[in-house]
Amino acid sequence: MTIDDPARPGTPEADGPPTATATETADGPPTETPDEAADGPATATATATPAAPRRPGAWAALRPLLLRLHFTAGLLTAPFLLVAALSGLLYALSYQAEKVVYAHELEVPVGDRVLPLDRQIGIAREANPDGTVTAVWPGAEPGATTRVLMADPEAPEGTSLAVFVDPYTGEVRGELPSYGSSGALPLRTWIDGLHRDLHLGEPGRIYSELAASWLGVLVLGGLVLWFARRRTRRRALLLPEGGPKSRRRTLSWHGSVGLWAALGLLLLSATGLTWSRYAGENIGILQDRLGGATPALSAGAAGGAGGEHAGHGTGHQPADPAPATADIGVDRAVAAARAAGLDSSWIAVTLPSEGSGYVVKETDKQFPLALDQVAVDPADGTVLDRLAFDEYPLLAKLTRIGIDAHMGVFLGLFNQLVLAALALALSLMILWGYRMWWLRRPRRPVGRGAWRKVPVTLLLPLAAATALVGWSVPLLGAGLLVLLAAEAVLALVARARTRRSTAS
């Protein structure tokens, strides 16, 4: 992303191809003089016929337009992107911070014998008799507590109350609100809300959708401009150049860091849009029409695990408790699921609700994923249905992996470090972009009205494609309309000033 105002006329970064001179350009080899650029050697006669002027190519016409769009859009949307990047950096680090802040609730000394899950659930009920148990998450590793989730009227809206039980001694280690299928505790939940909607609710989600909508456009536009830039050394494409503190060095850092971070930023933009209010609906419809809908477990309860977007924008909605009937208990339900093929130590068990049985789900989202599910009849332990992750359509698998990578759980700590690096890179590129704009801020930005120079054969398909993308990603389309309106107003103001200066 380059938040860089087009350069003043006559400089190497001006909108449009530089004129042929005998001097060296800012980022390319010396250009040819008019005589050297001719089709043949210059004749000695004074009556030589001058070469016909060449028509500018497609790139010469499109470059000023792309540069103007990249600059203006970056200048206006960078504050949203900066907030999203900084809050995303905090979110990526929150996983490790959560383990430190809530170490008492999450970790216990390893014992010799693990209590049955039914007994641990009973202990949690005794600790909080007003709550209704909806799910239980056994400790996945030695020394991890069991998390018993309850529907509790005192829990914050959209969350469950998690009672942490020592699986070896039965000691209740504490109670905390738990949010979504990821089990985010209060610290990570607060940071997630900051990243998602600035704690402003539904209106605040416009900020994050606007950032996700424009991030991909700015990255793609910046890549095109960076690759098309003339340079004397190929290493300058990949590595920043040194030299004195100047706009050119800032641009070198901005472009090379952006090149290395481009793929990750594009993936963040695409996966972030799946949670958005407007574009997310269109993405979901398209995914369903392409046969990529996530399959559902029949006879399954919806309780503690949630759908593929749970844990980062939707709260944990507990299931209604089942009526008092014959019940084999959680331990036998887990044993039946194990016999049906669930072998991961990371599982979540949703208790029966009316009309459905136990649902035992694998929850290990780290590569390789273990996300199979089994529904078990609470009366006799019969397996009612089994859904393997391998049975998901390809689009559903990619969606699941993309969302988990966006949340930092797909590759564990490495994933979180990559997210932190991308957030830091985006923040630096925004600051570098504003610095370039400040160092060279022309009185009349070059590139205004650049669309008039684009041939109709290019302008019409470009406008059609832009309209289609703008309809699919509504906040991107709305932003484009705002930019067009601003350009029209600026053009009218400039014209009025010209007329006044001419009249005087």
Side-chain angles (χ1 to χ4, degrees):
M1 186 189 71
T2 306
I3 313 173
D4 182 19
D5 200 354
R8 294 187 182 93
T11 63
E13 291 85 0
D15 284 34
T19 55
T21 64
T23 60
E24 184 175 357
T25 60
D27 50 1
T31 54
E32 296 174 332
T33 61
D35 287 344
E36 292 169 341
D39 293 337
T43 60
T45 62
T47 58
T49 304
R54 298 180 180 178
R55 295 185 59 185
W59 172 241
L62 287 176
R63 181 179 180 274
L65 178 62
L66 180 59
L67 194 59
R68 181 65 181 171
L69 174 65
H70 191 69
F71 159 69
T72 308
L75 188 68
L76 297 179
T77 62
F80 300 97
L81 289 169
L82 184 60
V83 172
L86 294 178
S87 59
L89 175 61
L90 292 177
Y91 186 83
L93 301 177
S94 67
Y95 287 91
Q96 306 306 317
E98 195 174 60
K99 295 178 181 179
V100 175
V101 175
Y102 304 113
H104 178 75
E105 290 81 4
L106 298 174
E107 299 176 2
V108 293
V110 178
D112 298 328
R113 177 177 173 271
V114 176
L115 297 175
L117 289 174
D118 286 312
R119 174 58 183 147
Q120 297 182 55
I121 292 174
I123 293 172
R125 284 196 176 107
E126 293 173 4
N128 186 17
D130 295 331
T132 302
V133 178
T134 58
V136 57
W137 297 2
E141 300 171 337
T145 56
T146 297
R147 191 177 307 195
V148 180
L149 300 179
M150 291 184 168
D152 190 280
E154 297 183 1
E157 183 180 359
T159 66
S160 295
L161 181 67
V163 180
F164 298 87
V165 180
D166 186 330
Y168 308 104
T169 66
E171 176 191 0
V172 174
R173 302 284 290 184
E175 300 178 359
L176 291 170
S178 179
Y179 179 82
S181 66
S182 64
L185 298 178
L187 174 63
R188 183 151 54 98
T189 300
W190 188 89
I191 296 175
D192 172 74
L194 178 68
H195 180 66
R196 177 166 34 92
D197 57 17
L198 300 177
H199 295 288
L200 298 176
E202 197 63 30
R205 297 190 69 173
I206 294 177
Y207 120 83
S208 58
E209 182 168 355
L210 185 68
S213 300
W214 279 97
L215 178 59
V217 174
L218 292 172
V219 170
L220 291 174
L223 284 176
V224 173
L225 291 170
W226 185 245
F227 275 107
R229 190 175 178 82
R230 292 180 297 173
R231 48 184 58 84
T232 55
R233 293 177 296 178
R234 292 184 179 180
R235 68 180 300 272
L237 177 69
L238 302 174
L239 299 175
E241 295 180 305
K245 294 182 179 180
S246 63
R247 179 181 175 277
R248 182 180 177 186
R249 190 178 78 164
T250 304
L251 176 61
S252 177
W253 277 93
H254 179 94
S256 56
V257 171
L259 179 63
W260 286 103
L263 179 59
L265 294 177
L266 288 174
L267 291 176
L268 286 178
S269 174
T271 53
L273 286 175
T274 62
W275 284 294
S276 62
R277 171 66 178 85
Y278 302 103
E281 294 181 0
N282 293 333
I283 292 174
I285 293 173
L286 178 62
Q287 182 177 343
D288 292 344
R289 290 182 177 177
L290 294 176
T294 301
L297 186 74
S298 61
E308 61 195 20
H309 297 89
H312 192 59
T314 49
H316 171 77
Q317 301 297 333
D320 296 330
T325 57
D327 194 335
I328 61 172
V330 175
D331 291 285
R332 289 184 59 188
V334 171
R338 298 287 190 199
L342 266 64
D343 55 6
S344 174
S345 60
W346 293 80
I347 62 171
V349 184
T350 303
L351 272 62
S353 59
E354 186 175 357
S356 63
Y358 284 100
V359 174
V360 185
K361 297 186 177 184
E362 294 178 328
T363 60
D364 189 1
K365 298 177 181 178
Q366 295 192 37
F367 182 83
L369 281 72
L371 298 174
D372 295 353
Q373 309 172 32
V374 171
V376 179
D377 191 330
D380 56 10
T382 303
V383 173
L384 301 174
D385 190 20
R386 186 180 188 279
L387 177 61
F389 184 71
D390 290 340
E391 299 173 2
Y392 281 32
L394 178 60
L395 270 180
K397 289 181 180 178
L398 294 177
T399 301
R400 175 74 272 167
I401 293 172
I403 289 172
D404 292 339
H406 189 111
M407 295 178 65
V409 297
F410 176 53
L411 297 174
L413 179 60
F414 175 77
N415 196 165
Q416 294 152 26
L417 293 176
V418 169
L419 288 178
L422 288 173
L424 183 60
L426 179 58
S427 301
L428 290 174
M429 283 191 291
I430 291 171
L431 296 178
W432 287 327
Y434 275 122
R435 172 176 167 78
M436 285 187 291
W437 168 66
W438 184 257
L439 290 175
R440 178 175 288 172
R441 46 192 189 284
R443 296 179 180 178
R444 181 183 182 278
V446 178
R448 184 175 296 163
W451 64 271
R452 299 189 187 94
K453 302 176 183 179
V454 180
V456 177
T457 54
L458 287 176
L459 187 62
L460 291 180
L462 185 63
T466 302
L468 179 61
V469 174
W471 176 84
S472 303
V473 187
L475 286 189
L476 176 61
L480 285 171
L481 292 178
V482 171
L483 292 180
L484 288 175
E487 288 291 312
V489 171
L490 291 174
L492 291 175
V493 171
R495 188 176 302 174
R497 288 178 178 175
T498 303
R499 289 177 179 176
R500 286 198 299 268
S501 61
T502 303
S504 60

